[in-house]
């Protein structure tokens, strides 16, 4: 049932303007992502007003491009899914308005999607897996463990109480004068470094549960950097490499240990990971080992479907639609929207906006 459905998915909750076309039998017919990285580059983070404006300017172009790439017209669609939160409110509003406009003009059903549900359901799109599974979302804006029991049944097992790991990678890069985004540049330096030369903390490992903290790691790295500069009058290339290696190993160990606990608390057949940080080879290997030790399959969807995109929104929309859920013209944009309605609100939000 639903295999022949064709959905448009619209995503604009952060700094990527995205539109995609996905079918009920898990085919991604188009996946357009227009990044705003260059617009925000001078500001050291995403500027909400600039993001909202750029989304408003680019959304219809992205939708048109997606239809062209798929060789379809609006008349071929069965529904429109749109991120209705959580995220930067101006951007989410731009996406919701765009989706409502298309729905009003075509009469197509409208489905509002939680951005985090989009990420969390991606392994069902890419690999067709059944529930339950545990998903670790690790990006510049998110960091949480979710147990997925159904397309609208999520339990938050833990998350960061301050920075997201990608944000920490970006800040480490900044303090070592490495290019942004920080993840890939820190990883490249770390590959040439010795992770045993400097000692960095393993935050919150001494406490039970799956909550995490990454801002202390950044502060500890900053202190080590300043100490080296004071002692030597500057940073040597090898110092940078060794600091990056120590930082990356610390993040990998924290994520691995917390994943081990998440699987112990919630034994499931699959550990899945999504988000830009999942691109990191050391982190990926550490998580794969944890899954193997727990007798679970490790799944990391391809990066273009792991980072923010419209395909995950279209897919989550299809799942909601098949569950009988629809939204009307009163669909509103929500800056905060916790996936797990039972969980206490998270403390941290991250530079890319509030992510419940
Ligand atoms: O999922 P994503 O593209 O966007 C959102 O954050 O929403 O993730 C981007 C984040 C950035 O902070 C970037 O530094 C990090 O993912 N990242 C990495 C790597 N590639 C990207 N972090 C560690 N290692 C990488 N290879
Ligand atoms: Zn995201």
């Amino acid at each position: 049932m639903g295999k022949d459905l064709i959905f448009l998915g619209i995503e604009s909750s952060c700094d990527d303007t995205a539109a995609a076309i996905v079918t009920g039998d898990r085919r991604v017919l188009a996946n357009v992502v227009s990044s705003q990285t260059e617009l925000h580059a001078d500001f050291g983070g995403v500027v909400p007003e600039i993001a909202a404006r750029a989304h408003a300017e680019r959304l219809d172009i992205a939708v048109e491009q997606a239809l062209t790439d798929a060789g379809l017209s609006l008349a071929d669609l069965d529904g429109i899914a749109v991120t209705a939160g959580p995220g930067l409110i101006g951007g989410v509003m731009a996406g919701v308005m765009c989706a409502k406009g298309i729905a009003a003009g075509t009469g197509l059903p409208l489905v509002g999607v939680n951005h985090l549900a989009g990420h969390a359901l991606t392994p069902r799109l890419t690999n067709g897996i059944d529930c339950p599974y545990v998903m670790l979302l690790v990006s510049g804006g998110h960091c949480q463990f979710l147990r997925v029991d159904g397309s609208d049944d999520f339990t938050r097992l833990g998350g960061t109480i301050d920075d997201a790991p990608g944000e920490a990678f970006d800040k480490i890069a900044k303090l070592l004068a490495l290019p942004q985004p920080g993840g890939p540049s820190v990883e490249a330096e770390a590959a040439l470094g010795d992770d045993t030369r400097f000692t960095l903390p393993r935050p919150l490992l001494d406490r039970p549960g799956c909550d995490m903290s990454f801002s202390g790691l950044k502060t500890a790295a900053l202190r080590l950097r300043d100490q080296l500069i004071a002692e030597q009058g500057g940073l040597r290339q090898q110092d940078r490499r060794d600091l990056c290696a120590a930082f990356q190993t610390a993040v990998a160990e924290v994520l691995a240990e917390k994943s081990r606990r998440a699987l112990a608390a919630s034994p499931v057949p699959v550990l899945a990971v999504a988000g830009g940080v999942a691109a990191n080879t050391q982190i990926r290997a550490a998580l794969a080992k944890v899954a193997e030790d727990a007798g679970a399959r490790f799944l990391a969807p391809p990066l273009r479907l792991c980072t923010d995109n419209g395909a995950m929104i279209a897919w989550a929309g299809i799942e909601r639609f098949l569950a009988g859920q629809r939204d009307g013209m009163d669909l509103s944009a929500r800056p905060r929207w916790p996936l797990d309605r039972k969980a206490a609100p998270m403390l941290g939000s991250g530079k890319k906006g509030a992510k419940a």
Side-chain angles (χ1 to χ4, degrees), residues 9-11 81-83 113-115 118 309-318:
I10 294 174
E11 155 62 34
V82 61
T83 300
V113 167
N114 182 310
H115 176 87
N309 66 86
M312 68 180 190
I313 302 304
W315 175 256
I318 288 175

Side-chain angles (χ1 to χ4, degrees), residues 264-322:
S266 211
V268 288
V270 175
L271 171 66
V273 66
V277 179
N280 187 286
T281 310
Q282 185 181 357
I283 292 173
R284 220 179 239 255
L287 297 174
K289 169 88 171 49
V290 169
E292 192 190 333
D293 291 348
R297 179 178 168 200
F298 177 67
L299 250 181
L303 206 59
R304 72 199 161 79
L305 296 176
C306 243
T307 55
D308 287 353
N309 66 86
M312 68 180 190
I313 302 304
W315 175 256
I318 288 175
E319 291 221 21
R320 293 202 72 193
F321 184 76
L322 290 174

Side-chain angles (χ1 to χ4, degrees), residues 60 101 121 144 178 190 271 313 315:
D60 53 346
L121 296 174
Q144 55 182 301
L178 298 170
L271 171 66
I313 302 304
W315 175 256

Side-chain angles (χ1 to χ4, degrees), residues 20-43:
I21 303 200
V22 172
T23 67
D25 60 354
R26 306 197 288 113
R27 284 177 297 132
V28 178
L29 303 184
N31 190 24
V32 176
V33 180
S34 163
S35 164
Q36 300 178 4
T37 307
E38 79 289 357
L39 294 181
H40 304 284
D42 292 342
F43 303 97

Side-chain angles (χ1 to χ4, degrees), residues 3-27:
K3 286 195 186 325
D4 50 355
L5 284 177
I6 304 180
F7 260 61
L8 167 67
I10 294 174
E11 155 62 34
S12 57
S13 66
C14 188
D15 57 350
D16 292 306
T17 311
I21 303 200
V22 172
T23 67
D25 60 354
R26 306 197 288 113
R27 284 177 297 132

Side-chain angles (χ1 to χ4, degrees), residues 61-182:
I61 300 169
V63 169
E64 218 165 13
Q65 186 62 50
L67 286 166
T68 304
D69 290 356
L72 298 175
S73 72
L74 286 174
D76 299 308
L77 301 178
D78 297 296
I80 299 157
V82 61
T83 300
L88 298 173
I89 193 66
V92 180
M93 279 169 67
V96 168
M97 295 303 286
C98 174
K100 280 184 184 174
I102 300 172
T106 56
L108 287 168
L110 174 69
V111 183
V113 167
N114 182 310
H115 176 87
L116 300 170
H119 279 304
L121 296 174
T122 299
R124 291 170 54 71
L125 166 65
T126 55
N127 297 77
I129 60 166
D130 290 326
C131 299
Y133 57 94
V134 166
M135 160 61 77
L136 168 60
L137 286 182
V138 266
S139 70
H142 324 290
C143 182
Q144 55 182 301
F145 288 102
L146 289 166
R147 180 188 158 109
V148 185
D149 280 285
S151 61
D152 197 22
D153 189 355
F154 305 96
T155 307
R156 198 174 145 269
L157 303 171
T160 183
I161 59 164
D162 43 53
D163 292 354
E167 196 174 355
F169 268 96
D170 295 341
K171 286 177 179 170
I172 291 286
K174 198 170 174 193
L175 67 88
L176 296 176
L178 298 170
Q180 295 292 329

